[in-house]
Each structure stands twice: as structure tokens, then as C-alpha cells.
Amino acid sequence: MIKPEKKLQDKVISYLKRRGIYYLNLFGDGMSGKGKPDIIACINGKFVAFELKVGENDLQKKKK
């Protein structure tokens, strides 16, 4: 079963590809740490970071 956030991520990547927008898909795992975005894109010369959440899945604070 595909997680809802993975479905959203696939839709965002498809949108970026259709528009020829450069992006990096940052794969997360238990070792990658908290607070890293899911996708970084360069849109009109500006870098934008996307943290994708679905439903009640909240952002987690970065540990110091």
C-alpha cells in the first residue's frame, strides 16, 4: 500500500517535471535526521523547499 504522502510527493514531482522545473527529491529514512525537506526545487531562479504532509501528520521539531 502506498502511503498518502508518497502519493502527494509523486504528484508534486509530476507537476514539476511537466513544467521543466529542476528539483531534487531528498529521500528520508531513519538515519537522515529531522527537519529536512522532501523536495528542493529551483523556480524562476529561487530555491524552494517543500515539506509534504498529509492528514494529521505534523512537522517534527529538529533536535538540538
Side-chain angles (χ1 to χ4, degrees), residues 6 13 17 21 25 28 39 54-55 61-62:
K6 174 65 174 140
I13 288 171
K17 280 183 180 179
I21 296 171
N25 184 6
I39 297 172
V54 174
K61 292 184 179 181
K62 186 176 178 181

Side-chain angles (χ1 to χ4, degrees), residues 37 39-43 46-50:
I39 297 172
I40 297 175
C42 185
I43 302 172
K46 296 183 181 186
F47 283 90
V48 180
F50 297 93

